[in-house]
Amino acid sequence: MTAVVILAIIFVVLGTILTTKNADSLLSGYNTMSDEKRRNIEIEQLIPFLNRSFKTIGLIILITGTFAYFIKNEKLYISALALFPIISAIIILLYSKKYNKNIPTRFEKVMSIMVLIILMTIAFFIVFQVFIQEDYGNLHF
């Protein structure tokens, strides 16, 4: 239960403290962009989107994890801790692209696809380990 609370707090705090003033130090990738590329990011629209997303993720993790803990459902509990943040990251990556008006280079396109493939592979692995295998008590990570 402690892990769920800590994970939820991390998401809610991140969604609370992220502003346009500190985005250059808190947003990965944004802090390494040139000034020209930063001007092509709609940061005033991106930050509220990320704030809502992070707070919603934290709240859903807390509610799902708490519910799973009290009904003693280990599969749901593991999903709240592992699977939901990964699925949320994929959704955020896809939807946040609309705030980036930069034309991606070939390398950036390939890296975006690779990150999505890695996240989906991890999510598939978790689903396989937790939901498909009968003996989910002996997870082999």
Side-chain angles (χ1 to χ4, degrees), residues 48-105:
F49 165 74
L50 291 174
N51 287 340
R52 286 189 308 274
S53 299
F54 291 145
K55 289 175 184 176
T56 302
I57 293 166
L59 184 63
I60 291 173
I61 288 171
L62 182 64
I63 291 169
T64 306
T66 303
F67 179 72
Y69 177 79
F70 285 113
I71 66 168
K72 310 257 188 270
N73 186 331
E74 291 180 31
K75 291 180 181 182
L76 187 59
Y77 190 77
I78 292 171
S79 298
L81 284 174
L83 193 57
F84 189 75
I86 292 171
I87 292 170
S88 301
I90 292 170
I91 292 169
I92 288 172
L93 282 172
L94 294 174
Y95 277 100
S96 64
K97 287 184 184 271
K98 73 179 184 179
Y99 302 108
N100 184 355
K101 302 305 178 200
N102 291 304
I103 298 171
T105 64

Side-chain angles (χ1 to χ4, degrees), residues 37 102-112:
K37 284 193 171 192
N102 291 304
I103 298 171
T105 64
R106 182 173 171 84
F107 176 75
E108 291 169 339
K109 286 179 184 177
V110 169
M111 289 307 294
S112 294

Side-chain angles (χ1 to χ4, degrees), residues 68 73-84 86 122-141:
N73 186 331
E74 291 180 31
K75 291 180 181 182
L76 187 59
Y77 190 77
I78 292 171
S79 298
L81 284 174
L83 193 57
F84 189 75
I86 292 171
I122 293 169
F124 174 78
F125 180 74
I126 292 169
V127 167
F128 178 76
Q129 288 289 325
V130 174
F131 292 100
I132 296 176
Q133 283 191 351
E134 293 296 321
D135 186 17
Y136 63 89
N138 295 321
L139 296 178
H140 303 289
F141 288 103

